[in-house]
Amino acid sequence: MSEYPEETTAGRGQLRVLAVDDEPPALDELVYLLHADPRVAEVHSAGDATEALRVLRDADVDAVFLDIRMPGLDGMELARVLGRFAKPPAIVFVTAYDDRAAEAFDLGVTDYVRKPVQADRIGESLRRIQAGRVVPTHPAATARREAEEDPTIPVELAGTTRMLPRSAVRWVEAQGDYARLHTAEASHLVRVPLATLAERWADAGFVRVHRSYLVQVKLITELRLTGSGYVVIVDGRELPVSRRHTRELKDKLVRAAKQNWNRG
């Protein structure tokens, strides 16, 4: 374990972080970038999960920047352990691979950073951590609630993993064991089955209209009967509605209309 000396943190930010990586050069670079950011007050480091748990036994940290592929207990397993803490730290995965992004999504991590690590990406992760912290001021508490209500999904964009807010998703299309998330500007393929998203996002207003489609109810502008059955219109796009989902969809549209009318 290492920590930057107390005297070097004077006048700095409030975040206390732990960097975990089994490769010393990568760990040194990550520690350097974290300490270089003015939002960070303390930087601890560990070379594996076992050492990380020893650090966390003796020190309180706000966030753990964590490699995934490590000998022994890997990063995903350690993240699950940390999630059971009474006050779990924010988790940022720092990895050379993108094949674990879906698992990261399942764990609700704050960010997913690809190696080689750049200062601006570390800065973005720290910004996300700060935005999600609970502090006793009303605006920040509101921001925290909003972050919990609008989780993010790791997606690939031009070779970089970004965190897409769920609120940006207009509809979802099944593609085998994957799902394609459609936003107003683009679409992103993620390794999550449509059925899983339908279950997790039901309370956020998403409804299954077909075995291959999940849509945000409030974005439906029209339910139309055609020669081959019902379709819904979302962003000018026709999406099919299967017979087994028609009644549920009509009920949800009626309830949504009543809620909008009552608010008006």
Side-chain angles (χ1 to χ4, degrees), residues 34 42 60 66 80 87 108 121 123 151-152 160 168 189 192 210 215 221 224 252 261:
L34 286 167
E42 297 176 6
D60 291 328
L66 179 59
R80 292 187 179 94
K87 187 179 177 182
R121 280 297 286 122
T152 56
T160 301
L189 193 65
V192 182
H210 188 275
V215 302
T221 56
R224 179 191 304 164
K252 287 185 177 292
W261 176 264

Side-chain angles (χ1 to χ4, degrees), residues 19-261:
V20 187
D21 199 308
D22 65 308
E23 298 180 357
L27 180 59
D28 290 344
E29 178 68 10
L30 181 56
V31 168
Y32 172 80
L33 291 174
L34 286 167
H35 191 260
D37 193 290
R39 286 164 289 201
V40 175
E42 297 176 6
V43 183
H44 302 269
S45 66
D48 57 35
T50 301
E51 187 179 358
L53 290 171
R54 285 198 295 266
V55 173
L56 293 168
R57 179 190 59 197
D58 301 324
D60 291 328
V61 302
D62 301 298
V64 179
F65 285 71
L66 179 59
D67 188 23
I68 293 181
R69 296 191 180 182
M70 297 186 296
L73 196 69
D74 72 12
M76 287 289 177
E77 293 166 327
L78 178 57
R80 292 187 179 94
V81 172
L82 300 182
R84 293 194 290 269
F85 279 23
K87 187 179 177 182
I91 301 294
V92 174
F93 283 126
V94 183
T95 176
Y97 307 94
D98 61 6
D99 59 346
R100 309 295 294 276
E103 289 180 73
F105 164 66
D106 287 341
L107 292 173
V109 302
T110 299
D111 208 350
Y112 192 98
V113 179
R114 290 283 303 279
K115 295 179 180 178
V117 182
Q118 303 295 326
D120 60 340
R121 280 297 286 122
I122 293 297
E124 172 63 16
S125 297
L126 291 168
R127 185 196 67 76
R128 291 178 181 275
I129 292 165
Q130 279 192 322
R133 295 181 73 203
V134 177
V135 293
T137 59
H138 178 68
T142 300
R144 172 66 174 178
R145 287 195 300 271
E146 290 175 350
E148 290 174 346
E149 292 169 0
D150 190 18
T152 56
I153 307 99
V155 299
E156 287 297 307
L157 184 64
T160 301
T161 302
R162 299 294 185 187
M163 305 304 283
L164 177 73
R166 181 177 62 190
S167 60
V169 178
R170 318 287 285 185
W171 81 88
V172 186
E173 180 181 1
Q175 295 191 350
D177 292 332
Y178 290 73
R180 183 167 294 280
L181 311 179
H182 292 267
T183 69
E185 297 83 19
S187 68
H188 308 276
L189 193 65
V190 295
R191 195 180 302 177
V192 182
L194 187 70
T196 300
L197 292 180
E199 179 180 350
R200 291 177 181 165
W201 291 5
D203 292 339
F206 284 84
V207 60
R208 192 83 171 260
V209 298
H210 188 275
R211 62 186 176 85
S212 298
Y213 292 96
L214 180 71
V215 302
Q216 173 57 268
V217 169
K218 67 182 180 181
L219 300 178
I220 295 175
T221 56
E222 187 177 345
L223 174 63
R224 179 191 304 164
L225 181 60
T226 68
S228 57
Y230 280 99
V231 298
V232 291
I233 310 300
V234 179
D235 290 344
R237 172 79 177 267
E238 286 191 2
L239 303 177
V241 179
S242 64
R243 183 177 300 175
R244 66 187 294 257
H245 292 295
T246 300
R247 179 178 294 276
E248 179 188 6
L249 176 59
K250 286 182 177 180
D251 290 343
K252 287 185 177 292
L253 288 173
V254 169
R255 285 198 297 269
K258 286 181 177 178
Q259 290 172 357
N260 291 334
W261 176 264

